[in-house]
Amino acid sequence: MTDRTEALQSRLAQQDPALAGLLDREVERQETSLTLIASENHCSQAVRAACASVLTDKYAEGYPGARYYGGCAVADEVENLAKERAVQLFQGMDHANVQPHSGTTANLTVLTALAGKDGKILGMSLQDGGHLSHGHKVSHTGKVFEVQQYGVNHDTGLLDYDAIREQAKSYKPDVVIAGASSYPRELDYEAFASIAKEVGAYLLADIAHPAGLIAGGVIPSPVGHADVLTMTTHKTMRGPRGGLILCTEEIRKKIDSSVFPGGQGGPLMHQIAGKAVAFGEALTPEFKTYQQQVVDNARLFAEMLSDRGMRTVTGGTDTHMVVVDLRDTDATGADVEERCFDAGISLNKNMVPNDPRSPKVTSGIRVGTAAATTRGMGKDEFARLATIIADIVEGGDPKTKRNEVHEICSAFPLP
Ligand SMILES: *Cc1c(COP(=O)(O)O)cnc(C)c1O
């Protein structure tokens, strides 16, 4: 911990021991257990210091140079720094909006800007790996817009671009969304762009999950193909919790006014400061090395599981994510999630394509390598973890694995 955060923490412990005690418990939980949740990561101490800064006190409604409050000189520079770094990371996009509070908010504001009320959107269904905010009926995006959804081929687990093209040609959406929460493969952004172009739609690439891999240059980028990118800053991007939008000059004004005043009030300047720090980190060569290790670890993990006779959706991975298909085993996704928890591993149950079970039970688990790789874990550790998880799936007692997981964790401290 930096001196500054240490001082802040002891202040908190004095004033509010109840809350400080809860934070201690969370530190302990993160330290002694292993996060294989694909959407989580551990950001740096520098990022956390920025997020814990006095900027949380500052109202800065508007944009740099055009605020509705005084005293925004520093806030302006912070936001401009975050924007400049974001545009440098995704070179080829003209403009960044760093204000979205989350990935969901970013999607809702982009779709509102580009499709408009009652406009038509085409996104991937949640059941097949998409995200709620791509038009699911319980999301505002499923209520405000007209929606059609595409899925994956149920035999291969892969997207069928010809089928998506046919669907787009008959539906004629205003916005096509390319992106997923649970799809372990690269997306063909060129194919998505040609589909969107053919039907006169905007292409939104939601790279919430693979943003860090794309920024690190280890998987193909939608830049040059998509009109707009949305993402979270806290998954593979390894920044603070938040959202980010990048777009072309042509739609810059629409996007900015949809974020503020359309969808949000004052920006969270402390989070934006954290984003600036994280984008700075992402511009370093170390970040590329980290992202390559994330992918190498996921590949090895998938191979080890298939050597044990287990099935993975799409037969492997190109990314940080492996989706294990448990239909050949006696276990459900919910069973394995709970047993892994007992062993000190957090991961989540996940639907597999054409899943016969309900979303609360599921026939799969999703594993992500980003957080554990941040702790410094490499091939040796992921090989051990694959063995542990395969044993657990096959009915091994999770309690007997607890010590081994604990031992691995204590050798790799949190940042
Ligand atoms: C995680 C995710 C989001 C939403 O992010 P939040 O910050 O939780 O709102 C949006 N889209 C996709 C594809 C995601 O995986």
Side-chain angles (χ1 to χ4, degrees):
M1 239 183 283
T2 60
D3 295 347
R4 194 72 182 265
T5 18
E6 216 159 68
L8 286 172
Q9 305 246 329
S10 73
R11 188 76 54 85
L12 177 61
Q14 272 167 23
Q15 180 183 316
D16 193 336
L19 195 277
L22 291 174
L23 294 189
D24 285 345
R25 268 173 55 197
E26 178 61 9
V27 171
E28 156 114 16
R29 184 193 71 80
Q30 291 194 20
E31 258 167 7
T32 58
S33 66
L34 192 76
T35 298
L36 294 182
I37 292 178
S39 46
E40 292 186 2
N41 209 331
H42 302 288
C43 70
S44 69
Q45 291 185 12
V47 168
R48 279 192 277 133
C51 294
S53 68
V54 293
L55 279 169
T56 197
D57 296 336
K58 187 69 201 104
Y59 240 119
E61 269 181 320
Y63 289 105
R67 305 284 193 184
Y68 291 83
Y69 287 84
C72 286
V74 172
D76 281 6
E77 287 193 41
V78 169
E79 185 163 344
N80 281 331
L81 191 58
K83 287 167 68 169
E84 282 157 23
R85 288 177 179 173
V87 169
Q88 223 180 318
L89 269 181
F90 295 94
Q91 243 167 52
M93 298 309 289
D94 302 319
H95 174 67
N97 188 310
V98 296
Q99 293 192 2
H101 301 335
S102 76
T104 297
T105 312
N107 284 339
L108 187 58
T109 50
V110 166
L111 292 171
T112 305
L114 300 183
K117 193 168 177 305
D118 302 319
K120 291 157 82 174
I121 65 172
L122 176 64
M124 188 172 178
S125 74
L126 180 71
Q127 194 170 327
D128 277 12
H131 190 262
L132 281 166
S133 62
H134 295 182
H136 191 278
K137 63 179 191 302
V138 302
S139 155
H140 286 336
T141 57
K143 294 171 184 160
V144 178
F145 310 110
E146 216 187 284
V147 179
Q148 272 200 17
Q149 301 212 289
Y150 58 86
V152 295
N153 177 303
H154 286 169
D155 299 320
T156 60
L158 295 168
L159 287 169
D160 176 346
Y161 294 94
D162 292 336
I164 300 170
R165 186 183 301 273
E166 288 316 306
Q167 189 176 3
K169 274 160 70 175
S170 73
Y171 178 51
K172 300 197 170 49
D174 299 301
V175 181
V176 173
I177 309 171
S181 293
S182 177
Y183 189 74
R185 294 299 183 171
E186 289 168 3
L187 293 189
D188 185 346
Y189 295 110
E190 200 176 335
F192 270 115
S194 108
I195 292 166
K197 191 163 179 208
E198 194 170 340
V199 301
Y202 288 106
L203 178 62
L204 160 60
D206 177 355
I207 58 168
H209 263 273
L213 306 179
I214 292 166
V218 303
I219 64 168
S221 169
V223 176
H225 302 297
D227 301 288
V228 54
L229 271 51
T230 56
M231 69 196 79
T232 54
T233 47
H234 49 272
K235 296 179 183 173
T236 54
M237 202 58 196
R238 206 163 68 177
R241 191 156 296 280
L244 170 65
I245 302 171
L246 288 133
C247 65
T248 58
E249 182 58 30
E250 186 202 333
I251 56 175
R252 176 176 63 85
K253 284 205 173 106
K254 277 192 206 181
I255 297 291
D256 279 355
S257 65
S258 187
V259 173
F260 173 84
Q264 294 186 173
L268 310 177
M269 286 313 308
H270 55 303
Q271 292 300 99
I272 291 173
K275 289 173 195 178
V277 176
F279 300 158
E281 290 172 1
L283 287 164
T284 63
E286 291 76 25
F287 190 76
K288 279 184 196 298
T289 312
Y290 160 69
Q291 297 294 350
Q292 188 60 54
Q293 191 64 51
V294 166
V295 174
D296 291 348
N297 286 343
R299 286 219 180 100
L300 173 95
F301 185 83
E303 278 162 24
M304 295 273 304
L305 290 185
S306 49
D307 289 349
R308 286 281 297 255
M310 295 174 60
R311 244 202 301 171
T312 55
V313 174
T314 76
T317 181
D318 302 324
T319 63
H320 62 301
M321 180 189 299
V322 179
V323 183
V324 185
D325 185 339
L326 299 166
R327 284 178 296 182
D328 295 342
T329 74
D330 297 330
T332 68
D335 292 336
V336 175
E337 179 185 292
E338 194 184 319
R339 289 188 221 153
C340 283
F341 179 78
D342 289 339
I345 296 171
S346 54
L347 48 73
N348 61 283
K349 59 178 179 282
N350 203 84
M351 300 288 271
V352 297
N354 206 20
D355 200 317
R357 297 193 173 98
S358 77
K360 288 205 171 110
V361 182
T362 81
S363 302
I365 51 167
R366 188 183 66 161
V367 170
T369 55
T373 306
T374 291
R375 292 177 80 157
M377 295 183 199
K379 294 205 159 182
D380 292 347
E381 290 73 34
F382 274 94
R384 287 172 77 185
L385 290 168
T387 304
I388 291 171
I389 289 170
D391 288 349
I392 288 175
V393 168
E394 287 170 4
D397 180 3
K399 299 255 160 33
T400 65
K401 309 289 180 191
R402 187 78 185 85
N403 280 345
E404 190 179 355
V405 173
H406 207 283
E407 182 199 312
I408 297 174
C409 288
S410 40
F412 296 91
L414 294 175

